[in-house]
Amino acid sequence: MLRLPHLALVVRKEALFRLEKSASELATILTFDAPYAQSDTILVYGPYFDFESLDEVCRRLTQMGLEYWDDFIDLKDDIPDWLALGVTAVSDSTSSS
């Protein structure tokens, strides 16, 4: 499980592959050198956002061809310092949606 920073962006690597985009192209759009964390299936970016810049990044990802919710999600909830949230991807065969 990958630990999430405050104001995080989570992107499915499969979506980048589908659009023939690389993680480095995504980093250019996000103006980051590297993700905060990553696994075989997802990239996590943050905590370098404020609310407005996170909205702008989401707009850029949509313009790039990624679909909000299916390909990426932003996590804007403020959480207390004593709590850590994590994320992991599930395969389509185990998804309940």
Side-chain angles (χ1 to χ4, degrees):
M1 182 171 301
L2 301 176
R3 186 175 176 168
L4 291 175
H6 296 283
L7 297 174
L9 178 72
V10 181
V11 180
R12 294 175 66 202
K13 287 183 178 179
E14 178 183 303
L16 295 176
F17 180 76
R18 185 185 76 243
L19 294 174
E20 298 180 355
K21 302 289 184 182
S22 68
S24 62
E25 288 176 280
L26 180 61
T28 300
I29 290 172
L30 300 176
T31 65
F32 295 135
D33 292 332
Y36 174 84
Q38 63 180 314
S39 71
D40 291 340
T41 56
I42 57 176
L43 299 163
V44 177
Y45 291 90
Y48 317 106
F49 304 107
D50 58 29
F51 287 103
E52 290 177 15
S53 64
L54 187 55
D55 288 341
E56 173 62 21
V57 165
C58 289
R59 186 184 64 75
R60 290 180 190 173
L61 294 179
T62 301
Q63 288 176 338
M64 188 174 106
L66 295 173
E67 295 182 32
Y68 186 81
W69 195 262
D70 290 333
D71 298 330
F72 73 95
I73 189 167
D74 60 339
L75 301 167
K76 296 181 182 178
D77 291 332
D78 197 16
I79 58 171
D81 291 336
W82 54 265
L83 181 64
L85 299 178
V87 63
T88 188
V90 296
S91 69
D92 292 340
S93 63
T94 60
S95 178
S96 62
S97 55

